[in-house]
Amino acid sequence: MGTGRVLPALSLVWAKDGFLYNLGAKGAIDFAGGTVVHISAGVSALVASLYLGSRRGYPKTAMQPNNLVMTLIGAGLLWVGWFGFNAGSSISSGLDTARALTVTQVAAASGG
């Protein structure tokens, strides 16, 4: 049994006949396997949320954040980590690094 049968996301990105592999002039630019990781994590989160259902009491019960300072510190650390991982994965300081930094910032700003 091939890896593509077990994890279809691998075939989409890394197989020579994969959809994302052949997308665009250069194909999918997959820094350090992040595309496969995020496809797998997204599908897993969707399945888990559908299985678990909505939170008890929501939306009738107000659910305030526990600690706003810790939330902001965590978001800041995650943001800095994204820049380090995405730009650092190109192993150089060139156009690909600038593109990775720009896409990281735009994606974080438009996430909502």
Side-chain angles (χ1 to χ4, degrees):
M1 180 185 308
T3 306
R5 290 185 190 158
V6 177
L7 298 170
L10 294 176
S11 296
L12 283 173
V13 179
W14 294 335
K16 297 279 187 210
D17 59 345
F19 171 70
L20 295 175
Y21 184 87
N22 296 313
L23 190 66
K26 285 182 158 181
I29 300 172
D30 186 24
F31 286 117
T35 304
V36 173
V37 169
H38 287 92
I39 290 171
S40 302
V43 171
S44 298
L46 178 63
V47 170
S49 66
L50 291 173
Y51 178 75
L52 293 173
S54 61
R55 294 179 284 180
R56 284 187 225 141
Y58 183 79
K60 295 177 183 174
T61 305
M63 297 182 181
Q64 300 298 323
N66 291 338
N67 190 333
L68 188 57
V69 174
M70 293 300 281
T71 302
L72 292 175
I73 290 172
L77 289 171
L78 184 61
W79 183 68
V80 169
W82 274 334
F83 276 112
F85 181 78
N86 291 346
S89 294
S90 67
I91 313 290
S92 66
S93 179
L95 186 58
D96 285 340
T97 304
R99 286 180 181 155
L101 285 170
T102 304
V103 167
T104 300
Q105 180 62 29
V106 170
S110 63

